[in-house]
Each structure stands twice: as structure tokens, then as C-alpha cells.
Amino acid sequence: MSTESFTRLPAQQNASATAAPVALDHHVAQVLDKANRRSQTYGVAVHDEPDYSSPSRGHMSNAMDENRFLFQHAAPIMETLFGQIANTHSMVLLTSAQGMVLHSLGDNDFLEKASRVALVPGMDWSEKTKGTNAIGTALSEEEAITVHGDQHYMSANQALTCSCSPIFDPHGQVIGALDVTGDHRSYHQHTLALVRMSAQLIENHMFADSFPKAVRLHFHSRPEFLGTLVEGIAVFSPDGRFISANRSAQFQLGLSHHALKAHTFSSLFNLPMSALFELFSGSASTPRQLGMHNGVSVWCRTEIKPAGPWAPPSLAPVQRDGAPTTAPQPTRATVSAAESRCKPHLSSLQYLDTGDAQIASVIQKLRRIVDRDIPVMVLGETGTGKDLLAQAIHNDSARARQPFVPVNCASIPESLIEAELFGYEEGAFTGARKKGSVGKIVQAHGGTLFLDEIGDMPKHLQARLLRVLQERKVSPLGASKEVEVDVTVICATHKNIKDMIARGEFREDLYYRLNGLIVRLPALRERTDFEVVVKKVLKSLCDSGQQIDISPEVMSLLSSYHWPGNLRQLHNLLRTAAVMVGDHGSIDAEHLPDDFLEELRIGDSAPLAIEATVIHSATAASANSDDEAPDSARLHDVTLNAMAQMLRTHKGNVSAAAKALGVSRNTIYRKKNLLPPDLLN
């Protein structure tokens, strides 16, 4: 076959040379007709010469950099695909989402012919430049298609048969295309199916390197197909929101990627996410059956892995052999974003709802204002989980994929907090980093800024923060221009901000800018779901395969304690106990820290000690009067009065008051709730 006949084969000559003309079904005919109309609109001429101009080295290098994620997953599969079509006068091509050829493999004789129609890396094969062709049309229609012979718009390409499938990234967007092109006389009707399968294999490989902290479910109606090319893969956030699904999952669920965005795990599989955690809490390698929303029963496999301290389990990615995959190495572009996110990935509001009425009320209020651009102020003692709640609000919002940036206003030296929050330019002050710093507020752009211990922010910075919140602009130290920011603000404090305002320590205008909704977290000793919280914290601390329980005696001891350090103290105590127990067993008193047991023993005898102290005072008072010895009711009142006096003397410092009375802090906490407010003033 001459060069001229290959590059300029007329339609009628092509038809006569084809042994078996391709019969078009109605849908393909419609797709080709639409493509031809688009080609005319683009101004492509049927008899245009192929574009032989070679791309610049820089242009090709930039394209490869932009498509590196696609290329690294597609290249091995292209090798396999080419091995299946070798010696068939064909080639395999990978293109970008815009139709630029990125890579090709082929028989030497056909590669030479392909170069004569500019079917080489760097060339644009979109419909805008080549008219109707498999690559450009597959990308335009976002579906696989074969364009054979004279179905090509340009006559120069009518000696080709091309079968192409778009490739979708893990978020459902077209990222490129995989194509097999050959001589039109060697057309095979099964080529398109082979290309489709290879494209789907690329997509599944990209899934395996994405969503390392998400819940990833592998499923199929037949268990033997788990771990194969045709398994469905659906990805959810730990609280059950849909993130993504591969093409097989979309087919099995009967919904497109766009339609799935309106769903949750519960609406698709008819059970809450917590039930899935329980289902796979044992042997993760054993497939389990679930029923889908469309009535179809499927077999599923995944693996549960705790995500961090007092966090819900997450389901680790699973390879074909059932082993967890490793997360991809971060690129330079993602390092700064990754550093700004809170580590580890924590819970949702649903996960924090463990049965306490006060907590349930807080969560109900927060759910109503999520994504309404209403600032939240969280009040509560130190260690009650204010940071966990802030992370949960962020995770349940539309900003969940954007940065969550926590700032503890009490832990940053006053001299540095301005630079940490607002950033600075190079040379703004002595000791500044060479290239400056963007600051925490700019790091949170698009996401959530969590200002913990806002009551400790220096007053001279409160005015600057107020201006940022009102104008949504930040002026770094030493900078001549402002930076626009879009952040949702959550703040927290254990202090009484209104009292601080009265004393002139906190700006009233900033307070009313931050308190769109104020919620209060109860102390651990005030919660009615204590046992549930204990078990949940312990479960999050157990490694895979660990089975640790808590003996009834220890649970009784823990319930009687007043937890001045709240959840943080509970977490640390259980972490130590879990290590002492080992992989299996039950936490007994012998596994608890000695100082904790000592404090419990002191606490048990403390009522006697304090009563003995106040009996002496009361008896002395009685000896100087005509009253009789105090009865139990009077003794109780005198006890409370003595405690209140010590608390007033030491300005509410529980440790100092306990030391002065010769009792434990636990005793003060236990009886403090019985004190009328007027006794403390």
C-alpha cells in the first residue's frame, strides 16, 4: 500500500478495501452524526493536510508534568495491552483530557505510517483539530467508541480504525483517553471491549492510590469477582457521605457519578455507617453481604483501621489480595496543604453523639447551622473535647476537603502570635524566615480556622482579627498589599468571656462577631453516657486484632471518679491500661496507674477527713455559745461553708483549696456541685 493511499484514501476506495463493512447501531450513528456537525462548526475541512509540526520540548514537558498521575498508572497497563495486540499492525496511545497524545506503543511498521498522519506524542487529536475521530469523539461524548475507516471526518485519517475509551479520575472527571489504532483492513470488533477493560483497570489502579483515609468499599454480586477488574469500588467519608465510585460501582448501583453525589452510605446500602464498622470489626478479609438500595444483594470487603485518638474507625484501602495499600507519596504541591490539615482525620458529629442528652442537644443545634456561614463558639472545661467538636463540624461541612487549621491562642508566645496568625513578609522582623510565612489564617483559606482558647488572645490583636472577619482580608506583617481569605471560624474557650468584657480584657464587638452560635460541652463527670464514651475511647486505642474489655469493677471505679482532666485524662489513662493488658484480656485495677488508684483511695476517705476538720470548727463555735452539738444537717452545711470559704480564699483554685483542707481534689469536685452559687461569690 503506497504512502499516498494510506494518507489520502478516499471513502469509496476505503469501502471497497474493507472485507466486512462495520454495521452501525442507532446510538453510534447518532454519536457520529453529532461529531460531524461539531467538526463543521470547528471549521475542520475534509481534505485538510495532517499537521506535521512537531511540538516544542517545553510544551510536551509541561503536558507530561500535568498528567504524571495518569501516566504512572496507565503506562504498565499500556504495556500489557500492547502485548495482546502485538503484530496486528496497531498501536496503543494515551492522551490527555484535551486530546494531546502523551505516549504511544506500537509495531514498528505501523508507527512509521502513523507518523505520516501526525499520530505521534505531542500532537492534538481533539475534534477541534482532527474532526470526528475516536480520541476526540470519545473525549467529547465521555464514552467509548470505535471510528472505522470513512467514519473519520478528515480523509487523511480514513485508512485508520481507532477504538478509544475515556479514562475517569477518582473524582469522576475525564482525565485522559486510551486508544488502539490500526490499519482499517485489520479491524476487529472485540478491540473496543479490550480498550474499555484496560481503561477501567487504569481507573481502579488510580483508586488504589487515592482516598487513604476514606471508607472504601469493594463489592460485587458474586464473591469470586471481588478483587477483579469488574468489582465495584465506592468511597465514603467516615460519617457516610459519598465521595466517589468507579464505573463498575455506578453500574451496579444504577446511578451516575453525578447522581450518587446526592446519596450517603445509608441511602445506598440501607444501614448506618456505624453498622458497617461493626460488621467488619472482626475478620476484614472475609466478605460480608449487604443489600443495596435497588434490592440487589452484594458481597463486600474492606478493612477497618482506627484513624487516631478517640476517632471513629476508618476503612483502609484494600488491594486485590486484601492487604491495605500505602498512601501515595505527597507531591511538592500537596505538602503545604497536607501540613495545614489537622492530623489525624477525626470524627463526625454523628460519631460524637453517644447518648448524652446535653451532647445530643449541642449536635442538633450544630447540624442546623453547618454551611450557613455562622461562626461557632464552643465553651467548656479544659479537656472536654472542644477540638474534637470543631473538627467534627468541619468534617460535616462542604469545606471538609479543604484545610482545617487549629490555632491554640494560649500556647503561642504573645510576641509571636501576630506573625503566626497573620503571616509576614521576608525581613519583616529579626529572626523571620527567609521567604516569609503566609500565616494560619491564609493557610485556612477555603476551609475552617479553629481558634482554641480565644480568651487568651492579646487584646491588641483582637481588633486585627475583627477586621479580618469583617472584610475577609489579611495584611501580613511587612506586606504592602492585602490577601483575600475565605474561612469559616470556630473558636473555643474555658473562660467566661462576658466577665472578661466587663473587666475590659476582651473586645465586646469581637465577641458578638464570634458568637453566632454558642454551645457548651458538659464535663465528663456530668455526662450520662460515660460507659459508652469509655468503650469508644478504648476501641479507638486498640490496634488491629486487639480485643480488650473493661472489668465491671474498673468500670465502677472509673464512673465514681470526677475526671478533672475530662476526655484528655480518660484517653491517657486508658492508653496506658491498654498497653499493660496486651493484645487480649480485660482491664483490671492492677492495670491502672498507681497515682490514679491512690487518688481514688484518698477520695473515698476524704469525706471523713473534711468532716473531721469542720467538726472541730463547729464544736469550737458551739462551745462559745449556748447551742447544742451540731446535728448531721448542720454538719453538712458547715462542711460546704468551709469548702466554699477555701475556694473563695484561693480564687477558685481547686488544687490549692484541697491542699488547705487536707483533702483530695476529687472530694472538692464531688461536693462543689452541691454548693449554692452565692457561697462562691
Side-chain angles (χ1 to χ4, degrees):
M1 184 174 174
S2 67
T3 301
E4 289 77 9
S5 63
F6 181 83
T7 58
R8 304 283 290 170
L9 193 63
Q12 58 269 33
Q13 182 180 348
N14 181 37
S16 64
T18 305
V22 178
L24 293 180
D25 64 26
H26 181 66
H27 174 69
V28 174
Q30 285 185 319
V31 169
L32 292 174
D33 184 56
K34 287 166 58 181
N36 287 335
R37 290 200 299 269
R38 284 195 299 267
S39 302
Q40 292 174 351
T41 303
Y42 295 144
V44 180
V46 172
H47 298 290
D48 276 352
E49 292 284 342
D51 180 8
Y52 297 116
S53 60
S54 59
S56 67
R57 182 176 300 178
H59 184 54
M60 188 64 191
S61 177
N62 290 339
M64 289 301 295
D65 285 342
E66 292 173 3
N67 292 276
R68 191 159 301 282
F69 179 72
L70 169 65
F71 178 78
Q72 69 182 16
H73 291 92
I77 296 169
M78 289 180 68
E79 295 278 358
T80 302
L81 177 58
F82 177 62
Q84 295 173 300
I85 65 168
N87 302 316
T88 62
H89 304 288
S90 303
M91 65 188 300
V92 181
L93 301 109
L94 178 71
T95 81
S96 69
Q98 293 73 39
M100 175 187 281
V101 179
L102 301 172
H103 184 51
S104 65
L105 297 170
D107 297 329
N108 290 333
D109 61 337
F110 190 78
L111 286 175
E112 182 182 351
K113 294 177 181 179
S115 67
R116 296 172 188 169
V117 290
L119 195 57
V120 293
M123 301 310 299
D124 181 2
W125 273 74
S126 66
E127 286 184 342
K128 291 182 178 180
T129 62
K130 298 294 189 293
T132 304
N133 74 92
I135 294 171
T137 302
L139 290 171
S140 295
E141 294 291 327
E142 297 190 359
E143 65 175 84
I145 190 170
T146 293
V147 177
H148 175 64
D150 61 0
Q151 293 166 2
H152 287 87
Y153 190 80
M154 290 175 59
S155 59
N157 302 326
Q158 290 175 356
L160 306 175
T161 289
C162 310
S163 298
C164 184
S165 174
I167 302 170
F168 293 87
D169 71 12
H171 297 285
Q173 301 298 314
V174 173
I175 192 175
L178 184 68
D179 174 84
V180 169
T181 290
D183 191 301
H184 73 288
R185 294 168 298 187
S186 59
Y187 165 78
H188 198 291
Q189 60 181 347
H190 298 306
T191 302
L192 184 61
L194 193 61
V195 172
R196 273 196 183 115
M197 291 169 57
S198 299
Q200 191 167 343
L201 194 58
I202 295 171
E203 293 170 2
N204 287 359
H205 278 221
M206 290 192 293
F207 253 89
D209 276 355
S210 302
F211 316 114
K213 293 182 180 180
V215 177
R216 205 173 80 217
L217 199 65
H218 297 241
F219 60 94
H220 198 277
S221 57
R222 295 171 59 179
E224 63 267 28
F225 287 139
L226 288 175
T228 70
L229 173 65
V230 296
E231 72 175 352
I233 307 174
V235 185
F236 302 89
S237 65
D239 62 326
R241 287 180 291 108
F242 172 80
I243 296 175
S244 191
N246 71 349
R247 282 196 264 182
S248 179
Q250 295 173 43
F251 175 77
Q252 293 184 63
L253 291 165
L255 295 167
S256 67
H257 194 281
H258 179 74
L260 284 168
K261 290 181 179 179
H263 283 268
T264 63
F265 175 81
S266 298
S267 66
L268 293 172
F269 290 94
N270 302 316
L271 78 164
M273 184 63 76
S274 58
L276 182 71
F277 294 151
E278 293 296 329
L279 188 64
F280 284 96
S281 60
S283 175
S285 61
T286 304
R288 308 296 171 87
Q289 253 186 319
L290 294 179
M292 297 194 299
H293 71 106
N294 53 14
V296 177
S297 180
V298 292
W299 291 90
C300 305
R301 189 173 65 188
T302 188
E303 180 168 330
I304 296 177
K305 183 177 182 181
W310 206 52
S314 65
L315 304 184
V318 178
Q319 292 177 329
R320 290 189 183 87
D321 59 1
T325 64
T326 55
Q329 293 299 313
T331 62
R332 183 181 301 174
T334 62
V335 168
S336 60
E339 288 177 346
S340 69
R341 284 171 166 78
C342 182
K343 303 173 183 178
H345 184 72
L346 291 175
S347 58
S348 66
L349 291 171
Q350 179 183 349
Y351 180 79
L352 297 181
D353 191 355
T354 48
D356 179 79
Q358 298 176 82
I359 296 293
S361 176
V362 167
I363 290 173
Q364 184 180 18
K365 293 175 183 176
L366 291 171
R367 280 175 173 159
R368 292 177 180 172
I369 60 95
V370 167
D371 292 329
R372 298 295 183 89
D373 196 26
I374 296 176
V376 176
M377 181 177 285
V378 186
L379 307 179
E381 293 180 9
T382 299
T384 51
K386 297 187 290 292
D387 54 341
L388 290 172
L389 184 65
Q391 178 78 66
I393 296 169
H394 172 77
N395 289 350
D396 276 4
S397 73
R399 297 172 179 257
R401 296 183 184 178
Q402 302 303 318
F404 174 83
V405 180
V407 180
N408 190 315
C409 300
S411 65
I412 303 175
E414 185 172 336
S415 59
L416 296 179
I417 190 170
E418 184 173 17
E420 284 290 314
L421 267 180
F422 302 100
Y424 55 84
E425 291 289 300
E426 179 178 353
F429 55 89
T430 303
R433 294 176 186 170
K434 186 174 181 181
K435 294 184 179 180
S437 173
V438 296
K440 299 292 187 182
I441 296 176
V442 175
Q443 286 180 27
H445 177 66
T448 302
L449 178 68
F450 174 47
L451 298 173
D452 198 6
E453 301 300 351
I454 186 68
D456 291 285
M457 175 174 282
K459 194 173 181 184
H460 72 279
L461 295 184
Q462 294 174 20
R464 287 201 64 186
L465 176 61
L466 177 63
R467 183 170 177 269
V468 169
L469 298 179
Q470 289 177 338
E471 300 182 9
R472 303 297 178 111
K473 293 180 180 180
V474 173
S475 179
L477 296 177
S480 58
K481 61 180 181 179
E482 295 181 318
V483 179
E484 292 190 1
V485 290
D486 171 25
V487 295
T488 286
V489 177
I490 303 173
C491 60
T493 183
H494 70 282
K495 295 185 175 181
N496 188 322
I497 299 294
K498 288 190 174 180
D499 285 351
M500 294 181 67
I501 293 173
R503 296 193 300 269
E505 298 172 358
F506 200 90
R507 291 181 64 103
E508 187 173 18
D509 49 3
L510 177 59
Y511 171 74
Y512 286 112
R513 181 64 181 80
L514 292 172
N515 79 338
L517 174 67
I518 294 182
V519 294
R520 182 181 297 275
L521 284 179
L524 185 58
R525 61 185 172 275
E526 299 170 357
R527 294 176 60 159
T528 59
D529 58 348
F530 179 79
E531 289 194 15
V532 178
V533 172
V534 170
K535 291 176 181 178
K536 197 163 242 187
V537 172
L538 180 61
K539 187 174 182 179
S540 74
L541 290 167
C542 292
D543 295 328
S544 179
Q546 262 190 315
Q547 296 290 333
I548 300 178
D549 297 317
I550 297 179
S551 69
E553 294 77 16
V554 169
M555 184 63 80
S556 178
L557 287 175
L558 299 181
S559 299
S560 66
Y561 187 62
H562 268 54
W563 301 104
N566 290 294
L567 288 171
R568 188 176 295 115
Q569 182 187 9
L570 174 65
H571 177 272
N572 290 338
L573 182 140
L574 291 176
R575 180 174 58 186
T576 302
V579 171
M580 299 297 292
V581 171
D583 290 340
H584 299 279
S586 180
I587 295 177
D588 295 316
E590 64 187 34
H591 301 122
L592 300 177
D594 291 342
D595 59 337
F596 178 76
L597 293 173
E598 181 66 22
E599 192 167 353
L600 280 172
R601 282 193 291 270
I602 293 174
D604 289 338
S605 61
L608 298 177
I610 192 170
E611 285 172 11
T613 301
V614 297
I615 283 174
H616 175 76
S617 300
T619 303
S622 178
N624 296 323
S625 68
D626 296 331
D627 294 339
E628 297 179 358
D631 57 20
S632 59
R634 288 182 59 208
L635 179 60
H636 178 73
D637 291 340
V638 172
T639 300
L640 294 182
N641 278 316
M643 183 183 295
Q645 181 180 346
M646 283 300 174
L647 286 171
R648 289 195 302 271
T649 300
H650 294 282
K651 299 181 179 180
N653 188 316
V654 173
S655 296
K659 186 175 182 180
L661 288 170
V663 300
S664 71
R665 291 181 304 162
N666 190 34
T667 300
I668 301 288
Y669 279 118
R670 183 177 296 154
K671 290 187 174 290
K672 188 178 178 183
N673 292 332
L674 303 175
L675 293 174
D678 58 314
L679 283 181
L680 294 173
N681 296 326

